Amino acid sequence: MNAESAEVGTPTGESSGPVDERVRRAWELIAGRLPTRGPLPGTVGTVVDEARVAEVERVVGDELGVRLPPDLVALWWLDAVHAGHCLPSEGAFSLDGPQEALELRKFMLDLAEAEDPDDPAWPDRFTEDLLPIGTSPGGDSLVVRLRPDEHHGNVHFWDHEVWGLGVPLWPSVAAMLDDAASALLSGGPALTWHVANGGDQPLVVPLLNERGRLTDWEASPGPAPGPEPDLGPRPAPRPSPGA
């Protein structure tokens, strides 16, 4: 994957909807390392965009009785959110907007339901409590867990060929952004929390061009991380109105 394609833009970091300062600050740092990209479909401060976010909230509320993690909603509402491949892990993930997330979720649920229930992989199929928020060039996904338990808001790697959830990549969307921003600023590895907790995805480091702009994430040749970093508290699930 090569993300270098245009002049570098200046992110505004402003939001027309819910504001999460942690999310805003981390995204500003990430966006400062990205080449200019088109805006993320289905977001950024218009009535249509607001309706798309509300539709995801409605579907999640109707099916699971919970609201979306507030840090995900805050990210979708930020202005100047890029649709380029900017998120770890290896190979880099692009961020999906709310409309893309719903469409991909339906597609993955339909695929899962078409499989044979006698298949040994059936218990590990994609389920309704998962929401895709990022896509890799190879077709894998970043998914957020939505079921109202202690794992609500966790971000997982979803392999489109080998189903099942392993150790979360991050405890929350905000932690995902913090991790990416920290690695982009320091040149050090991302996914240290995941590896420290026994995850099987490799540490990754950002590849920057001569202008300091992100071109890819690649597996780190460095040693295993030390003590588990503090990525902040995991957001508690919020009940859906009327649930």
Side-chain angles (χ1 to χ4, degrees):
M1 188 276 298
N2 184 355
E4 177 68 11
S5 63
E7 294 299 310
V8 175
T10 302
T12 67
E14 298 298 327
S15 174
S16 303
V19 176
D20 182 317
E21 284 301 316
R22 181 184 178 193
V23 167
R24 183 188 62 79
R25 287 193 301 268
W27 181 256
E28 283 185 342
L29 292 171
I30 294 169
R33 294 289 189 179
L34 297 180
T36 295
R37 289 283 177 174
L40 185 66
T43 61
V44 206
T46 70
V47 173
V48 173
D49 301 329
E50 182 179 3
R52 288 171 175 170
V53 177
E55 175 64 8
V56 183
E57 291 261 33
R58 184 194 65 77
V59 170
V60 168
D62 288 350
E63 294 183 4
L64 299 173
V66 298
R67 291 184 175 178
L68 292 173
D71 50 4
L72 174 59
V73 175
L75 174 61
W76 276 342
W77 269 104
L78 285 178
D79 290 344
V81 173
H82 295 255
H85 291 83
C86 59
L87 299 172
S89 56
E90 191 174 6
F93 284 80
S94 62
L95 183 64
D96 296 330
Q99 182 174 350
E100 295 171 304
L102 273 187
E103 291 173 353
L104 185 54
R105 178 176 179 268
K106 182 179 185 306
F107 173 76
M108 295 168 77
L109 285 171
D110 289 345
L111 280 182
E113 290 305 312
E115 294 295 323
D116 183 355
D118 294 328
D119 190 310
W122 177 259
D124 295 324
R125 70 194 183 281
F126 189 89
T127 51
E128 65 178 8
D129 61 319
L130 302 175
L131 180 69
I133 64 165
T135 304
S136 76
D140 296 323
S141 297
L142 297 177
V143 299
V144 172
R145 293 183 73 170
L146 299 176
R147 196 167 296 281
D149 57 20
E150 69 273 19
H151 302 296
H152 181 85
N154 286 182
V155 181
H156 288 261
F157 176 85
W158 182 267
D159 189 317
H160 73 288
E161 294 181 337
V162 182
W163 293 352
L165 297 178
V167 174
L169 298 180
W170 301 280
S172 66
V173 169
M176 173 186 75
L177 299 174
D178 282 346
D179 193 28
S182 177
L184 284 167
L185 288 179
S186 69
L191 298 179
T192 54
W193 182 89
H194 169 75
V195 172
N197 281 277
D200 58 6
Q201 293 298 307
L203 296 174
V204 293
V205 292
L207 293 181
L208 306 179
N209 64 18
E210 66 280 359
R211 301 177 62 193
R213 307 307 175 186
L214 180 68
T215 62
D216 207 346
W217 294 88
E218 69 170 3
S220 170
E228 176 185 327
D230 180 12
L231 292 180
R234 180 185 295 122
R238 298 181 298 161
S240 179

